[in-house]
Amino acid sequence: GGILTELKWRDFDLSLVFNYSLGRTIINASKAMALTVNGQSINGLPILADVRKYSFWEQSGDRVDYARLAYEEGKNNFGTSSDMCIEKVNYLRLKSFVLGYTLAEEWTEKIHLSKVRVYVSGENLFTWTNYTGIDPESVDIMTGYDNNRTYPLNRKFTLGVSVNF
């Protein structure tokens, strides 16, 4: 969904565009791949930087973040088809922000222009989400599968001047 707001006060204008998603299911395959020992790991070790901040299964009844940790090829329990990779995802993103100022007519008439507007804008400025992956919006909408092979959306800033003759 989306929310659009346009506000004007005197010679200022402000436009905000938010988009959101509620209850989307995403398979965060990168979560499992981070601890998998296979050809994609670095020097046979998991890609995850610090395994000390996670808990791993050791005995029956343990409530943990991951299945057992193994560094040997072929002896890991991680797989993207595991339900540990399924996340219910919600997010709210400020997709677009524009703040503008239109110069007064008495100023623009002096320089023989009909309208001059200066503005600053930004895209993808921030996202509130419960998703543990990188960017919930860049995940394939058809499959819901995040294998960490897509870039997050770029954050952009623009300064501009609009001139009407």
Side-chain angles (χ1 to χ4, degrees):
I3 301 166
L4 169 67
T5 302
E6 292 182 358
L7 304 169
K8 292 187 180 197
W9 179 69
R10 298 188 184 198
D11 294 328
F12 289 95
D13 59 272
L14 174 68
S15 172
L16 301 170
V17 178
F18 291 90
N19 68 332
Y20 65 89
S21 178
L22 301 173
R24 180 176 179 201
T25 301
I26 294 178
I27 300 171
N28 187 355
S30 59
K31 190 179 203 179
M33 290 166 41
L35 294 173
T36 301
V37 180
N38 60 21
Q40 295 179 347
S41 59
I42 300 171
N43 296 324
L45 297 175
I47 297 169
L48 190 61
D50 188 358
V51 296
R52 294 174 294 182
K53 65 181 181 177
Y54 298 99
S55 58
F56 298 90
W57 181 87
E58 292 180 27
Q59 59 188 355
S60 295
D62 283 351
R63 298 187 62 79
V64 297
D65 299 315
Y66 290 97
R68 73 181 179 88
L69 180 63
Y71 289 104
E72 299 171 38
E73 182 73 39
K75 291 190 177 182
N76 57 62
N77 285 6
F78 307 111
T80 59
S81 57
S82 167
D83 64 355
M84 79 170 190
C85 299
I86 298 173
E87 298 184 31
K88 277 287 195 199
V89 177
N90 304 310
Y91 72 86
L92 173 68
R93 169 171 279 158
L94 178 56
K95 193 73 175 163
S96 174
F97 166 89
V98 180
L99 176 63
Y101 177 76
T102 304
L103 295 176
E105 282 185 31
E106 59 266 14
W107 293 4
T108 58
E109 287 174 354
K110 290 179 183 178
I111 54 175
H112 306 291
L113 298 172
S114 62
K115 183 178 178 182
V116 176
R117 179 175 172 266
V118 294
Y119 63 92
V120 60
S121 69
E123 295 179 34
N124 303 316
L125 297 181
F126 58 84
T127 304
W128 289 298
T129 185
N130 63 336
Y131 184 51
T132 61
I134 295 176
D135 184 357
E137 193 175 358
S138 65
V139 175
D140 186 328
I141 196 163
M142 298 300 286
T143 64
Y145 189 83
D146 183 7
N147 59 6
N148 214 19
R149 292 186 179 160
T150 56
Y151 287 104
L153 296 177
N154 291 335
R155 182 174 295 142
K156 301 176 191 175
F157 297 95
T158 305
L159 293 172
V161 177
S162 174
V163 178
N164 294 2
F165 296 96

